[in-house]
Amino acid sequence: MPYYIKLLSQHWLGLTVFMLLSIGVLSLTPLQELPPAPGSDKLHHLLAYALLTIPATLRKPRYYWMYVIFFLVFSGSIEIIQPMVNRYGEWLDMLANTLGIICGLACAELLNYFFPVRLRSSD
């Protein structure tokens, strides 16, 4: 397990950018109807934003709380923009996104506590 945590910590920025781009594209692509997917839409929001938050929280770069605030603003911006691209913005989606960020913070903090990884910080 520590190997994977170290890997996530080392590549946190690339993973974060990849997740931001993925969430942005998937959330803002106009659709006639939502494709069928297993599970709840809100669960998908929660998981996406938890996965977005985990790498940065594992690494804890300087001012990482600014990243968390950016994730919240990004989430809200997506929900505001969605009606402009033939999608539905919902406050409950924003709530699920926020809960996902909180869950991502909690999971990463627990991983850092139980499996501390020492990295040289060049941030």
Side-chain angles (χ1 to χ4, degrees):
M1 179 75 100
Y3 170 78
Y4 296 109
I5 295 170
K6 186 173 182 179
L7 197 62
L8 283 172
S9 296
Q10 287 174 335
H11 301 288
W12 73 275
L13 186 58
L15 291 167
T16 300
V17 170
F18 174 77
M19 284 300 299
L20 280 169
L21 290 173
S22 297
I23 290 170
V25 168
L26 292 171
S27 298
L28 297 176
T29 301
L31 300 172
Q32 295 302 321
E33 61 183 52
L34 289 176
S40 163
D41 170 54
K42 305 307 179 247
L43 179 61
H44 297 159
H45 284 264
L46 188 139
L47 290 173
Y49 281 88
L51 291 174
L52 170 65
T53 308
I54 287 172
T57 306
L58 281 174
R59 181 61 185 257
K60 286 194 180 173
R62 184 181 300 175
Y63 308 117
Y64 91 98
W65 282 104
M66 296 302 287
Y67 288 92
V68 174
I69 291 168
F70 173 76
F71 299 156
L72 290 167
V73 171
F74 177 78
S75 167
S77 300
I78 293 283
E79 294 304 321
I80 290 170
I81 294 170
Q82 278 184 326
M84 297 174 202
V85 293
N86 198 31
R87 300 288 293 264
Y88 297 102
E90 294 183 43
W91 287 109
L92 288 177
D93 286 350
M94 179 64 189
L95 177 63
N97 299 344
T98 302
L99 290 174
I101 291 169
I102 292 168
C103 288
L105 286 167
C107 288
E109 289 294 343
L110 285 171
L111 287 170
N112 275 333
Y113 180 79
F114 288 110
F115 305 102
V117 175
R118 304 283 184 237
L119 293 173
R120 288 183 303 181
S121 181
S122 59
D123 303 318

